PDB file of all heavy atoms in Angstrom:
ATOM      1  N   PHE A 208     215.024 -97.058 159.585  1.00  0.00           N
ATOM      2  CA  PHE A 208     214.467 -98.323 159.976  1.00  0.00           C
ATOM      3  C   PHE A 208     214.289 -98.482 161.408  1.00  0.00           C
ATOM      4  O   PHE A 208     215.325 -98.254 162.117  1.00  0.00           O
ATOM      5  CB  PHE A 208     215.347 -99.406 159.387  1.00  0.00           C
ATOM      6  CG  PHE A 208     215.509 -99.364 157.844  1.00  0.00           C
ATOM      7  CD1 PHE A 208     216.597 -98.851 157.264  1.00  0.00           C
ATOM      8  CD2 PHE A 208     214.440 -99.599 156.951  1.00  0.00           C
ATOM      9  CE1 PHE A 208     216.870 -98.759 155.884  1.00  0.00           C
ATOM     10  CE2 PHE A 208     214.518 -99.546 155.676  1.00  0.00           C
ATOM     11  CZ  PHE A 208     215.732 -99.060 155.108  1.00  0.00           C
ATOM     12  N   MET A 209     213.181 -98.875 161.982  1.00  0.00           N
ATOM     13  CA  MET A 209     212.953 -98.715 163.420  1.00  0.00           C
ATOM     14  C   MET A 209     212.650-100.072 164.097  1.00  0.00           C
ATOM     15  O   MET A 209     212.821-100.110 165.372  1.00  0.00           O
ATOM     16  CB  MET A 209     211.783 -97.660 163.665  1.00  0.00           C
ATOM     17  CG  MET A 209     212.250 -96.229 163.022  1.00  0.00           C
ATOM     18  SD  MET A 209     210.803 -95.161 163.345  1.00  0.00           S
ATOM     19  CE  MET A 209     210.796 -94.885 165.062  1.00  0.00           C
ATOM     20  N   ALA A 210     212.060-100.903 163.358  1.00  0.00           N
ATOM     21  CA  ALA A 210     211.723-102.263 163.928  1.00  0.00           C
ATOM     22  C   ALA A 210     211.795-103.278 162.841  1.00  0.00           C
ATOM     23  O   ALA A 210     211.357-102.948 161.690  1.00  0.00           O
ATOM     24  CB  ALA A 210     210.367-102.171 164.609  1.00  0.00           C
ATOM     25  N   PRO A 211     212.165-104.525 163.099  1.00  0.00           N
ATOM     26  CA  PRO A 211     212.163-105.574 162.149  1.00  0.00           C
ATOM     27  C   PRO A 211     210.896-105.985 161.652  1.00  0.00           C
ATOM     28  O   PRO A 211     209.804-106.005 162.488  1.00  0.00           O
ATOM     29  CB  PRO A 211     212.980-106.655 162.808  1.00  0.00           C
ATOM     30  CG  PRO A 211     212.855-106.438 164.281  1.00  0.00           C
ATOM     31  CD  PRO A 211     212.722-104.996 164.498  1.00  0.00           C
ATOM     32  N   VAL A 212     210.766-106.373 160.404  1.00  0.00           N
ATOM     33  CA  VAL A 212     209.549-106.820 159.885  1.00  0.00           C
ATOM     34  C   VAL A 212     209.613-108.313 159.647  1.00  0.00           C
ATOM     35  O   VAL A 212     210.411-108.835 158.756  1.00  0.00           O
ATOM     36  CB  VAL A 212     209.235-106.089 158.487  1.00  0.00           C
ATOM     37  CG1 VAL A 212     208.007-106.689 157.851  1.00  0.00           C
ATOM     38  CG2 VAL A 212     209.117-104.605 158.715  1.00  0.00           C
ATOM     39  N   PRO A 213     208.867-109.176 160.232  1.00  0.00           N
ATOM     40  CA  PRO A 213     208.953-110.640 160.100  1.00  0.00           C
ATOM     41  C   PRO A 213     208.466-110.998 158.804  1.00  0.00           C
ATOM     42  O   PRO A 213     207.565-110.407 158.124  1.00  0.00           O
ATOM     43  CB  PRO A 213     208.116-111.193 161.288  1.00  0.00           C
ATOM     44  CG  PRO A 213     207.192-110.086 161.608  1.00  0.00           C
ATOM     45  CD  PRO A 213     207.883-108.786 161.338  1.00  0.00           C
ATOM     46  N   LEU A 214     209.122-112.078 158.293  1.00  0.00           N
ATOM     47  CA  LEU A 214     208.651-112.681 156.957  1.00  0.00           C
ATOM     48  C   LEU A 214     207.150-113.066 157.046  1.00  0.00           C
ATOM     49  O   LEU A 214     206.719-113.566 158.133  1.00  0.00           O
ATOM     50  CB  LEU A 214     209.424-113.917 156.765  1.00  0.00           C
ATOM     51  CG  LEU A 214     209.194-114.701 155.410  1.00  0.00           C
ATOM     52  CD1 LEU A 214     209.877-113.692 154.187  1.00  0.00           C
ATOM     53  CD2 LEU A 214     209.956-115.969 155.319  1.00  0.00           C
ATOM     54  N   GLY A 215     206.432-112.738 156.015  1.00  0.00           N
ATOM     55  CA  GLY A 215     205.022-113.037 156.047  1.00  0.00           C
ATOM     56  C   GLY A 215     204.135-111.900 156.503  1.00  0.00           C
ATOM     57  O   GLY A 215     202.887-111.951 156.306  1.00  0.00           O
ATOM     58  N   ALA A 216     204.613-110.843 157.043  1.00  0.00           N
ATOM     59  CA  ALA A 216     203.848-109.682 157.538  1.00  0.00           C
ATOM     60  C   ALA A 216     203.230-108.905 156.361  1.00  0.00           C
ATOM     61  O   ALA A 216     203.843-108.749 155.310  1.00  0.00           O
ATOM     62  CB  ALA A 216     204.708-108.816 158.389  1.00  0.00           C
ATOM     63  N   ALA A 217     202.090-108.398 156.609  1.00  0.00           N
ATOM     64  CA  ALA A 217     201.425-107.378 155.760  1.00  0.00           C
ATOM     65  C   ALA A 217     201.563-106.088 156.453  1.00  0.00           C
ATOM     66  O   ALA A 217     201.206-105.982 157.701  1.00  0.00           O
ATOM     67  CB  ALA A 217     200.055-107.756 155.389  1.00  0.00           C
ATOM     68  N   LEU A 218     201.946-105.014 155.757  1.00  0.00           N
ATOM     69  CA  LEU A 218     202.106-103.735 156.426  1.00  0.00           C
ATOM     70  C   LEU A 218     201.097-102.749 156.122  1.00  0.00           C
ATOM     71  O   LEU A 218     200.451-102.780 154.941  1.00  0.00           O
ATOM     72  CB  LEU A 218     203.467-103.131 155.909  1.00  0.00           C
ATOM     73  CG  LEU A 218     204.826-103.867 156.262  1.00  0.00           C
ATOM     74  CD1 LEU A 218     205.962-103.288 155.483  1.00  0.00           C
ATOM     75  CD2 LEU A 218     204.924-103.879 157.757  1.00  0.00           C
ATOM     76  N   GLU A 219     200.713-101.894 157.065  1.00  0.00           N
ATOM     77  CA  GLU A 219     199.778-100.729 156.821  1.00  0.00           C
ATOM     78  C   GLU A 219     200.706 -99.653 156.467  1.00  0.00           C
ATOM     79  O   GLU A 219     201.654 -99.360 157.242  1.00  0.00           O
ATOM     80  CB  GLU A 219     199.055-100.387 158.091  1.00  0.00           C
ATOM     81  CG  GLU A 219     197.830 -99.583 157.907  1.00  0.00           C
ATOM     82  CD  GLU A 219     196.577-100.393 157.548  1.00  0.00           C
ATOM     83  OE1 GLU A 219     196.399-101.419 158.095  1.00  0.00           O
ATOM     84  OE2 GLU A 219     195.808 -99.923 156.780  1.00  0.00           O
ATOM     85  N   MET A 220     200.469 -98.967 155.353  1.00  0.00           N
ATOM     86  CA  MET A 220     201.295 -97.837 154.903  1.00  0.00           C
ATOM     87  C   MET A 220     200.431 -96.607 154.964  1.00  0.00           C
ATOM     88  O   MET A 220     199.301 -96.566 154.386  1.00  0.00           O
ATOM     89  CB  MET A 220     201.776 -98.033 153.485  1.00  0.00           C
ATOM     90  CG  MET A 220     202.324 -99.492 153.248  1.00  0.00           C
ATOM     91  SD  MET A 220     203.969 -99.625 154.060  1.00  0.00           S
ATOM     92  CE  MET A 220     205.036 -98.703 152.981  1.00  0.00           C
ATOM     93  N   VAL A 221     201.055 -95.607 155.623  1.00  0.00           N
ATOM     94  CA  VAL A 221     200.312 -94.280 155.776  1.00  0.00           C
ATOM     95  C   VAL A 221     201.136 -93.182 155.077  1.00  0.00           C
ATOM     96  O   VAL A 221     202.247 -92.886 155.498  1.00  0.00           O
ATOM     97  CB  VAL A 221     200.172 -93.931 157.275  1.00  0.00           C
ATOM     98  CG1 VAL A 221     199.182 -92.777 157.365  1.00  0.00           C
ATOM     99  CG2 VAL A 221     199.611 -95.144 158.056  1.00  0.00           C
ATOM    100  N   ALA A 222     200.619 -92.677 154.000  1.00  0.00           N
ATOM    101  CA  ALA A 222     201.329 -91.617 153.248  1.00  0.00           C
ATOM    102  C   ALA A 222     200.826 -90.242 153.712  1.00  0.00           C
ATOM    103  O   ALA A 222     199.559 -89.985 153.405  1.00  0.00           O
ATOM    104  CB  ALA A 222     201.141 -91.838 151.774  1.00  0.00           C
ATOM    105  N   VAL A 223     201.647 -89.464 154.318  1.00  0.00           N
ATOM    106  CA  VAL A 223     201.158 -88.120 154.775  1.00  0.00           C
ATOM    107  C   VAL A 223     201.785 -87.051 153.854  1.00  0.00           C
ATOM    108  O   VAL A 223     203.038 -86.966 153.738  1.00  0.00           O
ATOM    109  CB  VAL A 223     201.679 -87.977 156.230  1.00  0.00           C
ATOM    110  CG1 VAL A 223     201.262 -86.580 156.788  1.00  0.00           C
ATOM    111  CG2 VAL A 223     201.194 -89.093 157.109  1.00  0.00           C
ATOM    112  N   PRO A 224     200.938 -86.198 153.243  1.00  0.00           N
ATOM    113  CA  PRO A 224     201.538 -85.112 152.403  1.00  0.00           C
ATOM    114  C   PRO A 224     202.398 -84.164 153.177  1.00  0.00           C
ATOM    115  O   PRO A 224     202.080 -83.856 154.325  1.00  0.00           O
ATOM    116  CB  PRO A 224     200.265 -84.444 151.907  1.00  0.00           C
ATOM    117  CG  PRO A 224     199.106 -85.400 152.055  1.00  0.00           C
ATOM    118  CD  PRO A 224     199.486 -86.180 153.301  1.00  0.00           C
ATOM    119  N   ARG A 225     203.570 -83.743 152.679  1.00  0.00           N
ATOM    120  CA  ARG A 225     204.388 -82.829 153.286  1.00  0.00           C
ATOM    121  C   ARG A 225     204.837 -81.916 152.129  1.00  0.00           C
ATOM    122  O   ARG A 225     204.688 -82.128 150.974  1.00  0.00           O
ATOM    123  CB  ARG A 225     205.590 -83.456 153.900  1.00  0.00           C
ATOM    124  CG  ARG A 225     205.298 -84.484 154.938  1.00  0.00           C
ATOM    125  CD  ARG A 225     206.614 -84.972 155.433  1.00  0.00           C
ATOM    126  NE  ARG A 225     207.237 -84.201 156.455  1.00  0.00           N
ATOM    127  CZ  ARG A 225     208.492 -84.182 156.816  1.00  0.00           C
ATOM    128  NH1 ARG A 225     209.346 -84.947 156.229  1.00  0.00           N
ATOM    129  NH2 ARG A 225     208.952 -83.339 157.640  1.00  0.00           N
ATOM    130  N   ARG A 226     205.308 -80.755 152.588  1.00  0.00           N
ATOM    131  CA  ARG A 226     205.823 -79.813 151.500  1.00  0.00           C
ATOM    132  C   ARG A 226     206.929 -80.435 150.667  1.00  0.00           C
ATOM    133  O   ARG A 226     207.970 -80.821 151.152  1.00  0.00           O
ATOM    134  CB  ARG A 226     206.454 -78.570 152.241  1.00  0.00           C
ATOM    135  CG  ARG A 226     206.767 -77.463 151.263  1.00  0.00           C
ATOM    136  CD  ARG A 226     207.252 -76.151 152.021  1.00  0.00           C
ATOM    137  NE  ARG A 226     207.594 -75.164 151.068  1.00  0.00           N
ATOM    138  CZ  ARG A 226     207.985 -73.940 151.475  1.00  0.00           C
ATOM    139  NH1 ARG A 226     208.046 -73.669 152.750  1.00  0.00           N
ATOM    140  NH2 ARG A 226     208.250 -73.021 150.569  1.00  0.00           N
ATOM    141  N   GLY A 227     206.613 -80.530 149.350  1.00  0.00           N
ATOM    142  CA  GLY A 227     207.620 -81.088 148.395  1.00  0.00           C
ATOM    143  C   GLY A 227     207.445 -82.616 148.282  1.00  0.00           C
ATOM    144  O   GLY A 227     208.277 -83.148 147.568  1.00  0.00           O
ATOM    145  N   GLY A 228     206.508 -83.307 148.948  1.00  0.00           N
ATOM    146  CA  GLY A 228     206.644 -84.707 148.985  1.00  0.00           C
ATOM    147  C   GLY A 228     205.650 -85.340 149.929  1.00  0.00           C
ATOM    148  O   GLY A 228     204.585 -84.826 150.340  1.00  0.00           O
ATOM    149  N   PHE A 229     206.158 -86.476 150.537  1.00  0.00           N
ATOM    150  CA  PHE A 229     205.303 -87.274 151.388  1.00  0.00           C
ATOM    151  C   PHE A 229     206.250 -87.839 152.478  1.00  0.00           C
ATOM    152  O   PHE A 229     207.377 -88.164 152.217  1.00  0.00           O
ATOM    153  CB  PHE A 229     204.575 -88.424 150.644  1.00  0.00           C
ATOM    154  CG  PHE A 229     203.548 -87.976 149.634  1.00  0.00           C
ATOM    155  CD1 PHE A 229     203.909 -87.599 148.404  1.00  0.00           C
ATOM    156  CD2 PHE A 229     202.206 -87.871 150.082  1.00  0.00           C
ATOM    157  CE1 PHE A 229     203.038 -87.135 147.490  1.00  0.00           C
ATOM    158  CE2 PHE A 229     201.284 -87.491 149.086  1.00  0.00           C
ATOM    159  CZ  PHE A 229     201.699 -87.090 147.870  1.00  0.00           C
ATOM    160  N   ARG A 230     205.594 -88.163 153.600  1.00  0.00           N
ATOM    161  CA  ARG A 230     206.195 -88.982 154.645  1.00  0.00           C
ATOM    162  C   ARG A 230     205.358 -90.240 154.638  1.00  0.00           C
ATOM    163  O   ARG A 230     204.161 -90.196 154.881  1.00  0.00           O
ATOM    164  CB  ARG A 230     206.322 -88.252 155.965  1.00  0.00           C
ATOM    165  CG  ARG A 230     206.677 -89.268 157.104  1.00  0.00           C
ATOM    166  CD  ARG A 230     207.075 -88.450 158.411  1.00  0.00           C
ATOM    167  NE  ARG A 230     208.454 -87.906 158.255  1.00  0.00           N
ATOM    168  CZ  ARG A 230     209.058 -87.133 159.115  1.00  0.00           C
ATOM    169  NH1 ARG A 230     208.476 -86.905 160.284  1.00  0.00           N
ATOM    170  NH2 ARG A 230     210.252 -86.594 158.994  1.00  0.00           N
ATOM    171  N   VAL A 231     206.060 -91.432 154.590  1.00  0.00           N
ATOM    172  CA  VAL A 231     205.344 -92.706 154.590  1.00  0.00           C
ATOM    173  C   VAL A 231     205.695 -93.507 155.857  1.00  0.00           C
ATOM    174  O   VAL A 231     206.885 -93.768 156.054  1.00  0.00           O
ATOM    175  CB  VAL A 231     205.506 -93.495 153.325  1.00  0.00           C
ATOM    176  CG1 VAL A 231     204.713 -94.768 153.326  1.00  0.00           C
ATOM    177  CG2 VAL A 231     205.199 -92.731 152.049  1.00  0.00           C
ATOM    178  N   PHE A 232     204.684 -93.847 156.693  1.00  0.00           N
ATOM    179  CA  PHE A 232     204.944 -94.768 157.791  1.00  0.00           C
ATOM    180  C   PHE A 232     204.541 -96.141 157.405  1.00  0.00           C
ATOM    181  O   PHE A 232     203.496 -96.376 156.781  1.00  0.00           O
ATOM    182  CB  PHE A 232     204.043 -94.352 158.993  1.00  0.00           C
ATOM    183  CG  PHE A 232     204.343 -92.974 159.561  1.00  0.00           C
ATOM    184  CD1 PHE A 232     203.684 -91.864 158.936  1.00  0.00           C
ATOM    185  CD2 PHE A 232     205.249 -92.760 160.594  1.00  0.00           C
ATOM    186  CE1 PHE A 232     203.972 -90.578 159.609  1.00  0.00           C
ATOM    187  CE2 PHE A 232     205.393 -91.555 160.971  1.00  0.00           C
ATOM    188  CZ  PHE A 232     204.839 -90.444 160.668  1.00  0.00           C
ATOM    189  N   ALA A 233     205.496 -97.067 157.706  1.00  0.00           N
ATOM    190  CA  ALA A 233     205.259 -98.478 157.520  1.00  0.00           C
ATOM    191  C   ALA A 233     204.969 -99.124 158.874  1.00  0.00           C
ATOM    192  O   ALA A 233     205.746 -99.079 159.761  1.00  0.00           O
ATOM    193  CB  ALA A 233     206.426 -99.260 156.821  1.00  0.00           C
ATOM    194  N   LEU A 234     203.675 -99.601 159.028  1.00  0.00           N
ATOM    195  CA  LEU A 234     203.324-100.166 160.344  1.00  0.00           C
ATOM    196  C   LEU A 234     203.026-101.682 160.354  1.00  0.00           C
ATOM    197  O   LEU A 234     202.512-102.166 159.402  1.00  0.00           O
ATOM    198  CB  LEU A 234     201.950 -99.428 160.703  1.00  0.00           C
ATOM    199  CG  LEU A 234     201.933 -97.864 160.598  1.00  0.00           C
ATOM    200  CD1 LEU A 234     200.502 -97.405 161.000  1.00  0.00           C
ATOM    201  CD2 LEU A 234     203.003 -97.263 161.414  1.00  0.00           C
ATOM    202  N   LEU A 235     203.433-102.183 161.431  1.00  0.00           N
ATOM    203  CA  LEU A 235     203.153-103.661 161.700  1.00  0.00           C
ATOM    204  C   LEU A 235     201.686-103.765 162.230  1.00  0.00           C
ATOM    205  O   LEU A 235     201.084-102.739 162.451  1.00  0.00           O
ATOM    206  CB  LEU A 235     204.137-104.207 162.715  1.00  0.00           C
ATOM    207  CG  LEU A 235     205.579-104.336 162.226  1.00  0.00           C
ATOM    208  CD1 LEU A 235     206.551-104.696 163.371  1.00  0.00           C
ATOM    209  CD2 LEU A 235     205.715-105.327 161.226  1.00  0.00           C
ATOM    210  N   GLY A 236     201.237-104.991 162.397  1.00  0.00           N
ATOM    211  CA  GLY A 236     199.812-105.160 162.702  1.00  0.00           C
ATOM    212  C   GLY A 236     199.386-104.541 164.067  1.00  0.00           C
ATOM    213  O   GLY A 236     198.296-104.203 164.205  1.00  0.00           O
ATOM    214  N   ASP A 237     200.360-104.405 165.026  1.00  0.00           N
ATOM    215  CA  ASP A 237     200.126-103.817 166.266  1.00  0.00           C
ATOM    216  C   ASP A 237     200.334-102.264 166.245  1.00  0.00           C
ATOM    217  O   ASP A 237     200.375-101.622 167.386  1.00  0.00           O
ATOM    218  CB  ASP A 237     200.954-104.422 167.394  1.00  0.00           C
ATOM    219  CG  ASP A 237     202.367-104.416 167.169  1.00  0.00           C
ATOM    220  OD1 ASP A 237     202.823-103.827 166.162  1.00  0.00           O
ATOM    221  OD2 ASP A 237     203.158-104.865 168.071  1.00  0.00           O
ATOM    222  N   ARG A 238     200.568-101.777 165.048  1.00  0.00           N
ATOM    223  CA  ARG A 238     200.829-100.302 164.872  1.00  0.00           C
ATOM    224  C   ARG A 238     202.241 -99.885 165.338  1.00  0.00           C
ATOM    225  O   ARG A 238     202.414 -98.727 165.490  1.00  0.00           O
ATOM    226  CB  ARG A 238     199.786 -99.478 165.498  1.00  0.00           C
ATOM    227  CG  ARG A 238     198.476 -99.458 164.738  1.00  0.00           C
ATOM    228  CD  ARG A 238     197.641 -98.207 164.903  1.00  0.00           C
ATOM    229  NE  ARG A 238     196.635 -98.004 163.891  1.00  0.00           N
ATOM    230  CZ  ARG A 238     195.919 -96.994 163.716  1.00  0.00           C
ATOM    231  NH1 ARG A 238     196.082 -95.932 164.521  1.00  0.00           N
ATOM    232  NH2 ARG A 238     194.928 -96.947 162.808  1.00  0.00           N
ATOM    233  N   THR A 239     203.136-100.883 165.493  1.00  0.00           N
ATOM    234  CA  THR A 239     204.495-100.542 165.720  1.00  0.00           C
ATOM    235  C   THR A 239     205.065 -99.904 164.342  1.00  0.00           C
ATOM    236  O   THR A 239     204.813-100.461 163.239  1.00  0.00           O
ATOM    237  CB  THR A 239     205.316-101.732 166.043  1.00  0.00           C
ATOM    238  OG1 THR A 239     204.857-102.185 167.299  1.00  0.00           O
ATOM    239  CG2 THR A 239     206.843-101.446 166.157  1.00  0.00           C
TER     240      THR A 239
END
Side-chain angles (χ1 to χ4, degrees):
F208 303 106
M209 302 178 67
V212 175
L214 189 68
L218 295 173
E219 197 88 36
M220 309 293 284
V221 189
V223 181
R225 304 181 78 204
R226 184 175 182 178
F229 294 85
R230 170 166 285 180
V231 181
F232 296 88
L234 310 180
L235 295 168
D237 61 358
R238 287 209 164 185
T239 294

